[in-house]
Every structure is written in C-alpha cells, then in structure tokens.
Amino acid sequence: MTAPPGRPLRGRTAVVTGAARGLGRAEALELARLGADVVVNDHGRPGRDGSGESCAEPAEAVVAEIRAAGGRATAHVGDVADFDQARALVRLAVETYGALDILVNNAGILRDRMVFSMTEDEWDSVVRVHLKGHFNTIRFAAEHWRERAKAAAPGAPPVYGRIVNTSSEAFLAGSAGQPNYAAAKGGIVGLTTSSAQALRKYGVTVNAICPRARTRMTRDVFPDAAPADGGTDPLAPEHVSPLVAYLASPAAAGVSGQVFVVHGGMVAVMERPRVAARFDAKGDVFSVAELDALLTPYYAARPEGEGFAAPEVLRLKRD
C-alpha cells in the first residue's frame, strides 16, 4: 500500500485507548491528521483516579474533531481492563474499517500513596487499568495479526502491525509516592519487550514511550503555566504525539522492542540494562562470608544511594 506524501497512515486503522483527553487525544488527532481511521476509546469517567460514571461524551467530542477535519473516526466507550470489552474494542475496529493496523495503549489512572500507606484497592486498581489494560488490547490485536499472517498467500509481505505502549519515567526513576504506578509501568516495559519478540515474525513492531506532559493526570506535578516567551508549552501533549505517529508509520518498520523518553521537543532512546559487575565463587557455591568480602567493598566504593533506578532521566530536557 502506497500512501500519499504527508499522509503516510492513509488506509490504516488505529485504536487509541484513553483518547478523550490529554496525551490520548493528541495522539488520536495526530494519527487522523496523517490519514488513519481512528477508533477513539475512553471510559469517560471524570476522575483521574478512575472514579465517576462512564460517559460517552468525551470520546464522542474527539471523534467530532476528527470528522470536522475531514477524517474518519468512531467512538468506543469501554474499560480496556475488562477482557471482554477489550475484545469488543478490537472487533469494532476490524468490523468498522476492515482491519486493525495500529494500537496505541494510553489509558490509565492515578492513585498515589506511599507504600506504607497504600491500600489493596489502590494497588489493584492501578495495576489493573495500566498493566492488564495493556495486556488485554495487545492480546486481541496480536490474535488478529496472527490470523491475518496465517491466512496470507505464500510469499505475501508481513502484516502491518504497530503497537505503542505507554510507560513512564516513574518506572525509570523509582517514583517514591507511586509504587503501584511505577510497578505497572515497569511491567508494561516487560510486556513490550516480550511482545516485540513474539510478534516480530508476523511483521508487528512493539515499542514503549515514557512521556512527560501537562495533562489531567499530572496537574499536581506540572500545574498550568503559560510559556514565558509566549511560545509553545514544552509540556504540551502535542510534543509527544509525533513520536507515536512515527512509531505507527511505515518508516519505523525496523524499530521494535525500544523504550523512549519524550517531551518538550526531545526524544531520548533508553539503553537496555547492562552488567555492571560480576563476581564468581571460588568453589561451587558462595558462602555469605565470601559474598561479604566481594560485595560490601564494591558497594562502599559506589556513590551513596545509587541503585538500579535512573533518576537522572528526570533531568533530561531539550538544550
């Protein structure tokens, strides 16, 4: 399929979850601007903690924006953390537009609390929406692409499949007041790398972004503030959506299993974990004393508080 210049996603169908506001809305609008037909998913609950009654109006408003600009869009008001509703979301895309080509997982909630104060429900609800919600949609999208690949004629090109997942710098930096959110976002990276390996042979790419933006979910961290020079807000969600559109495009066919930090006109490619040091037992099995002799001086020589978390990512900004 050859798309016209400037509209590389024409003829493609995208699903964007949590697409009624903030990042999801910006992503849905950008994909539509580049030619994609978009299924705008949002549960429509008013609370950023997932509270309130479900409402169709927020998703329908984004659909109306896309249609007013000449695009095609359909609303889906459902909970992606519900297995059956996630199945229905993928089915809606396929039945409405003939196929699913792009899946952008963005839906999420916040229920912040220090680990010593967090309730079971605060843990379960955040992990459910973020991590299970990502799994559910990926599961049914992957099934769709696998079936298309199996039905393809011998020698046919791979199916076109793109998944963009939403992780967070909270996972990278170890956000102290968000153990549920950081754990879910770390799990999304594991789901991303596993899915990238499993779906590569079908022509499907799977990547994750860690976006920083001023949205309803981050209003306590990034309160509303107009740029001093009257320019573009560096934390506007529109700084994130071009990377999502790129990863959804034909140009990114060779990009998979990657994690990106993106905000304010900057994209950082995160490096995979590497072995920092290795210690071997003198015999077949370590003793505690031997480990003490090796590890204690090793950590004594390292900067205090340095661990696996990478808080330095929070200092990233465009020069």
Side-chain angles (χ1 to χ4, degrees), residues 288-313:
V288 173
E290 188 180 2
L291 287 168
D292 179 17
L294 292 169
L295 293 178
T296 301
Y298 170 74
Y299 281 104
R302 291 180 64 169
E304 184 177 359
E306 182 181 83
F308 191 78
E312 63 271 17
V313 299

Side-chain angles (χ1 to χ4, degrees), residues 10 37-38 82 147 158-159 161 171 198 236:
R10 185 170 182 180
D37 301 324
V38 183
D82 181 285
E147 289 176 353
V159 299
F171 140 71

Side-chain angles (χ1 to χ4, degrees), residues 9 19 43 56 169 221 308 315:
L9 299 180
H43 211 186
E169 291 172 289
V221 180
F308 191 78
R315 297 192 292 272

Side-chain angles (χ1 to χ4, degrees), residues 169-191:
E169 291 172 289
F171 140 71
L172 292 165
S175 181
Q178 297 180 303
N180 48 3
Y181 184 74
K185 292 305 191 181
I188 286 168
V189 171
L191 177 61

Side-chain angles (χ1 to χ4, degrees), residues 218-272:
T218 61
R219 62 175 177 243
D220 295 338
V221 180
F222 307 127
D224 290 340
D229 60 359
T232 303
D233 180 358
L235 292 176
E238 287 73 20
H239 285 293
V240 175
S241 53
L243 175 61
V244 172
Y246 164 73
L247 293 172
S249 75
V255 182
S256 193
Q258 304 298 312
V259 177
F260 302 86
V261 172
V262 53
H263 60 84
M266 184 216 72
V267 172
V269 180
M270 303 311 297
E271 189 173 27
R272 63 184 175 85

Side-chain angles (χ1 to χ4, degrees), residues 41-214:
N41 160 266
D42 202 282
H43 211 186
R45 288 179 169 173
R48 63 176 179 169
D49 62 352
S51 62
E53 294 298 320
S54 179
C55 175
E57 186 176 347
E60 292 285 5
V62 177
V63 167
E65 282 189 78
I66 292 172
R67 291 176 177 172
R72 299 202 302 174
T74 300
H76 177 269
V77 184
D79 178 7
V80 292
D82 181 285
F83 200 66
D84 290 334
Q85 291 184 49
R87 177 194 285 116
L89 171 59
V90 171
R91 183 179 297 145
L92 175 64
V94 175
E95 291 179 352
T96 303
Y97 299 111
L100 172 63
D101 305 291
I102 300 158
L103 169 63
V104 180
N105 281 311
N106 172 75
I109 64 171
L110 284 180
R111 294 191 179 181
D112 293 351
R113 192 88 63 187
M114 298 297 286
V115 68
F116 44 75
S117 302
M118 183 161 287
T119 68
E120 181 180 19
D121 181 65
E122 287 167 341
W123 174 271
D124 288 348
S125 60
V126 169
V127 171
R128 175 183 179 273
V129 173
H130 287 274
L131 186 53
K132 187 183 179 186
H134 272 62
F135 160 73
N136 285 347
T137 54
I138 291 172
R139 190 263 183 239
F140 293 110
E143 180 182 45
H144 169 68
W145 288 320
R146 182 171 179 265
E147 289 176 353
R148 279 170 54 185
K150 290 171 64 176
V159 299
Y160 189 104
R162 302 284 189 270
I163 299 174
V164 182
N165 293 327
T166 304
S167 182
S168 170
E169 291 172 289
F171 140 71
L172 292 165
S175 181
Q178 297 180 303
N180 48 3
Y181 184 74
K185 292 305 191 181
I188 286 168
V189 171
L191 177 61
T192 296
T193 56
S194 174
S195 299
Q197 294 289 348
L199 300 178
R200 189 183 307 273
K201 66 181 179 180
Y202 301 118
V204 178
T205 67
V206 191
N207 294 286
I209 62 169
C210 298
R212 191 187 306 174
R214 194 188 317 280

